[in-house]
């Protein structure tokens, strides 16, 4: 069941050629008649009620269209066999053989079913024709749904190298479901980087889905081989399609708990990597399986009630990066982790792994964690060891915007914050921005946070976006609020962390703290040279 997007892929007035072949069971030749689809579908339905055998099969003309650089629409052959002894009409059906690229024969009961299958097949044909006859100026997306479960089974993305005038070389890259949210596979910039790295002119990326069962990688290749072949660029002369893949991150996975809160459906998972390491994860399934929190499992992987997790190690790279904000603090210069007396604030509790880490790593610091969703608080407490009874941790169940306004007005806390971690995520928005949510990604909010901070305090903002434009929009809003603004990003990560502070000589302080604490503070992953100023062309 294909769905082609965007809508411009689907022709406004497509015409489907429909050829009917009538023959008797003992006839030496058949009678052919061509006509519009609607008329002959009705003919088929009428014949099925008269005890005839019916089979509708699509003629494969995709290769001819590709070589002629033209777009063609489906042509179907309908074979109506009149038997000497008619079959029971109650048990009769019409067998439809749509595109052999992806679909097995389908049994239909009437015109409505036939028209639905033909409509889906027409979308697929048009998508293939566009890819086979043209150089693509933008990504083209096709979604294929399972005829058995109805779930999304394959997400197929075709991308061309814009620097190549005539695409010739071609490959297919199959992505395991648990790696779909990685930078290289989950955004336009990442997929273009993958295309460049593999040095092909065109790449078809096939994203497998978490809810679907795949017997093996070879079975996936066999299932999609015909379709992948038809998506070759017109100038490609290779009759063999190179099908590449990457191994799954996890060799074992189990769902510990699931539910739904303000941020949508969530799951707590136990996953085991290929290298044997095991982790507990909080995943928001609506947002491209976004991993919100993660903790390393020390023991009892298979017994969740007895599982022991490591609360003194952060495994999410973006959280490790956000910790770089502490290196900007002047008060950290001559203090160890155990001596640091800082007032910290986490906006967006999530699974609580960052809050718990701060509590366990800096025993003289205080932490205020704010989240509007009670469900996440319960998850953090039950599955990620949140020390909610500690006198140094204050968990506030409230809208973070209301909280900031109250603090700014002097109604909440007596001591301003030395560091604020802003990590509020939501649904995947149209502009691709996942974190922070749009209402928290504006200058007014960044200014409001600054009013809640100590004079030389630091704001760290986690930015997750599937496109560069929305990411740059956040940076424009952030720029100018503080005397110094910095950013840190990984080449293989969707996350960009922004730092803002009025600390004099902020980069010098970062460098000194980074070097002096490197041996003792195992949590330091941010290297000063990796923290850069904002681009000038924002």
């Amino acid at each position: 069941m294909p769905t082609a997007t965007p809508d411009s892929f689907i022709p406004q007035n497509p015409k489907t050629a429909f050829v009917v072949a009538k023959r008797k069971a003992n006839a030496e030749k058949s009678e052919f008649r061509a006509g519009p689809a609607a008329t002959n579908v009705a003919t088929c339905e009428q014949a099925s009620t008269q005890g005839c055998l019916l089979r509708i099969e699509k003629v494969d003309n995709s290769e001819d269209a590709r070589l002629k650089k033209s777009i063609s629409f489906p042509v179907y052959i309908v074979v109506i066999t009149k038997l000497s002894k008619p079959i029971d009409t109650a048990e009769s059906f019409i067998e439809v053989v749509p595109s052999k690229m992806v679909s097995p024969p389908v049994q239909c009961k009437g015109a409505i079913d036939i028209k639905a299958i033909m409509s889906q097949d027409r979308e697929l044909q048009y998508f293939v024709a566009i890819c086979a006859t043209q150089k693509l100026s933008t990504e083209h997306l096709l979604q294929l749904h399972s005829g058995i479960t109805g779930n999304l089974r394959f997400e197929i993305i075709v991308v061309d190298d814009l620097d190549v005038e005539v695409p010739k070389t071609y490959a297919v890259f199959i992505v395991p479901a648990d790696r779909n949210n990685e930078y290289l596979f989950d955004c336009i910039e990442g997929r273009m980087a993958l295309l460049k790295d593999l040095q092909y002119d065109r790449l078809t990326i096939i994203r497998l889905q978490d809810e679907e069962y795949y017997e093996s990688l070879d079975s996936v290749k066999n299932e999609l081989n015909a379709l992948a072949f038809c998506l070759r660029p017109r100038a490609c002369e290779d009759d063999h399609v190179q099908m590449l893949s990457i191994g799954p991150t996890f060799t074992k996975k189990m769902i510990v708990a699931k539910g739904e809160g303000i941020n949508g459906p969530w799951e707590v998972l136990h996953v085991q990597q290929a290298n044997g390491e095991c982790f507990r994860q909080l995943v928001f399934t609506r947002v491209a399986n976004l991993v919100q929190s993660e903790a390393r499992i020390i023991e009892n992987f298979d017994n969740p009630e007895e599982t022991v997790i490591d609360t003194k190690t952060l495994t999410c790279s973006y959280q490790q990066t956000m910790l770089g904000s502490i290196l900007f603090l002047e008060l950290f210069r001559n203090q160890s982790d155990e001596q640091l007396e800082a007032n910290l604030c986490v906006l967006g509790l999530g699974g609580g792994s960052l809050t718990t880490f701060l509590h366990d790593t800096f025993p003289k610091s205080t932490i205020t964690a704010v989240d509007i969703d009670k469900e996440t608080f319960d998850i953090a407490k039950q599955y990620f060891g949140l020390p909610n009874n500690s006198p140094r941790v204050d968990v506030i169940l409230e809208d973070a915007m209301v909280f900031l306004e109250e603090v700014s007005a002097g109604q909440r806390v007596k001591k301003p914050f030395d560091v604020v971690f802003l990590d509020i995520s939501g649904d995947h928005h149209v502009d691709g921005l996942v974190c922070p949510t749009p209402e928290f990604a504006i200058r007014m909010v960044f200014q409001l946070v600054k009013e809640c901070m100590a004079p030389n305090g630091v704001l760290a903002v986690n930015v997750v976006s599937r496109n560069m434009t929305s990411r740059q929009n956040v940076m424009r809003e952030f720029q100018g609020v503080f005397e110094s603004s910095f950013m840190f990003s990984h080449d293989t990560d969707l996350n960009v962390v922004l730092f803002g502070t009025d600390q004099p000589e902020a980069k010098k302080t970062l460098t000194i703290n980074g070097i002096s604490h490197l041996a003792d503070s195992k949590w330091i992953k941010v290297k000063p040279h990796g923290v850069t100023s904002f681009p000038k062309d924002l």
Side-chain angles (χ1 to χ4, degrees), residues 7 43 46 83 101 111 120 122 164 176 186 244 248 271 285 302 310 334 358 363 368 383 397 406 430 440 478 535:
D7 291 342
T43 301
Q46 181 182 6
L83 304 175
M101 291 182 287
Q120 296 158 10
R122 186 165 55 231
V164 175
D186 197 42
L244 312 171
V271 296
T285 58
D302 294 316
D310 180 4
N334 300 311
L358 294 172
T368 301
Y383 298 105
L397 294 176
E406 292 175 348
V430 176
F440 283 91
F478 192 84

Side-chain angles (χ1 to χ4, degrees), residues 1 104 145-151 153 212:
M1 187 183 299
H145 292 253
S146 169
I148 299 174
T149 65
N151 296 329
R153 182 163 176 80
E212 282 293 289

Side-chain angles (χ1 to χ4, degrees), residues 337-355:
D337 293 351
E338 291 73 21
Q339 295 171 326
L340 178 65
E341 296 184 26
N343 190 24
L344 311 174
C345 178
V346 179
L347 300 177
L349 176 66
S353 54
L354 177 58
T355 300

Side-chain angles (χ1 to χ4, degrees), residues 135-194:
K135 177 187 173 180
L136 308 180
S137 58
T138 60
E139 286 189 343
H140 280 37
L141 168 68
L142 177 72
Q143 293 181 328
L144 296 178
H145 292 253
S146 169
I148 299 174
T149 65
N151 296 329
L152 177 63
R153 182 163 176 80
F154 299 109
E155 193 169 57
I156 298 172
I157 304 167
V158 186
V159 56
D160 279 355
D161 188 339
L162 300 181
D163 296 328
V164 175
E165 186 174 347
V166 179
K168 294 180 180 179
T169 59
Y170 173 64
V172 174
F173 199 100
I174 301 172
V175 184
D178 63 353
R179 306 195 70 161
N180 280 339
N181 62 331
E182 294 182 15
Y183 172 77
L184 289 177
F185 316 121
D186 197 42
C187 67
I188 295 174
E189 294 92 342
R191 290 188 283 266
M192 188 59 69
L194 179 64

Side-chain angles (χ1 to χ4, degrees), residues 12-13 41 44 68 92 161 183 192 206 220-221 268 306 342 367 401 407 448 461 471 478:
Q12 298 300 312
N13 296 296
V41 165
C44 293
K68 294 177 182 178
S92 67
D161 188 339
Y183 172 77
M192 188 59 69
I206 299 174
V220 172
K221 291 180 179 179
V268 174
E306 303 294 331
I367 304 99
M401 193 76 74
V407 173
L448 183 61
V461 181
R471 192 157 53 240
F478 192 84

Side-chain angles (χ1 to χ4, degrees), residues 323-329 332 340 358 362 419 421 513 523:
L323 282 177
S325 56
I326 293 176
L327 299 179
F328 284 103
L329 294 177
F332 191 48
L340 178 65
L358 294 172
F362 306 106
V419 178
F421 302 91
N513 282 338
W523 52 267

Side-chain angles (χ1 to χ4, degrees), residues 204-221:
T204 292
I205 299 170
I206 299 174
R207 290 159 43 110
L208 307 186
Q209 302 302 307
D210 196 48
E211 295 182 356
E212 282 293 289
Y213 171 74
Y214 309 94
E215 184 178 341
S216 65
L217 181 60
D218 286 341
S219 69
V220 172
K221 291 180 179 179

